[in-house]
Amino acid sequence: IFRYCCAVYSQPALNPFKKQLPFVNKSHGLTLLNNICRQLYIETATLPYTLNTLAFSSHNTLINFLLFEQRLTREQCNAIISVTLNDALPMPNLLVYMRNLQKVVLVDDLPGHPRGTYKVTRVKGKPPKLLNTRHVW
């Protein structure tokens, strides 16, 4: 059984899996104004996924959230540009599914996949690949 929660940090580029410093504000929940009217919803439904980094505690949680439970609409999934994972890099088929994903951050050292920031490269007719940019936390 998967349980999801929302945590919003006051500073970008934090490792969400480590204990945070006391001056970093964290709130549980995201207040969206797009429920006020239909037109506002249409115009802003993808902004939280474009402007923020989604963090998942495991690769399995990411797959369950996006593929099996389909918690996001196709437009929202296409709006995701940055993901942070704790245990594994996404497989190429998941990179194909997330069409606009640009950056994946891996926070734990794994054999063959050191922690750091990975850039998603896409070449027409070939599966997407992850290139390590060697940025380490």
Side-chain angles (χ1 to χ4, degrees):
I1 297 174
F2 289 94
R3 297 181 75 194
Y4 308 105
C5 69
C6 178
V8 180
Y9 294 95
S10 63
Q11 295 179 347
L14 292 174
N15 181 346
F17 306 108
K18 287 185 176 180
K19 185 176 179 182
Q20 301 301 328
L21 299 172
F23 61 84
V24 176
N25 294 330
K26 174 180 161 183
S27 65
H28 294 281
L30 183 62
T31 304
L32 300 175
L33 295 175
N34 63 2
N35 289 332
I36 294 175
C37 73
R38 188 176 306 141
Q39 183 63 34
L40 190 57
Y41 176 79
I42 290 169
E43 293 174 3
T44 63
T46 60
L47 284 179
Y49 307 100
T50 303
L51 302 175
N52 295 298
T53 298
L54 298 181
F56 294 92
S57 60
S58 73
H59 184 262
N60 289 339
T61 305
L62 171 66
I63 290 173
N64 192 66
F65 185 80
L66 293 179
L67 298 177
F68 297 134
E69 293 185 11
Q70 296 182 350
R71 297 278 183 132
L72 303 179
T73 65
R74 180 37 117 184
E75 292 81 17
Q76 291 168 331
C77 188
N78 287 341
I80 297 171
I81 61 169
S82 178
V83 171
T84 298
L85 293 168
N86 197 27
D87 67 344
L89 292 172
M91 294 181 215
N93 59 347
L94 192 58
L95 296 176
V96 170
Y97 184 76
M98 300 170 71
R99 295 179 184 156
N100 293 315
L101 186 66
Q102 298 172 5
K103 180 174 83 168
V104 177
V105 177
L106 186 63
V107 295
D108 276 347
D109 276 324
L110 298 170
H113 300 290
R115 69 181 172 175
T117 303
Y118 290 79
K119 179 181 176 186
V120 180
T121 60
R122 301 175 192 277
V123 177
K124 191 172 182 173
K126 294 184 179 182
K129 292 184 179 180
L130 291 169
L131 297 175
N132 192 343
T133 59
R134 300 284 182 222
H135 175 267
V136 179
W137 292 62

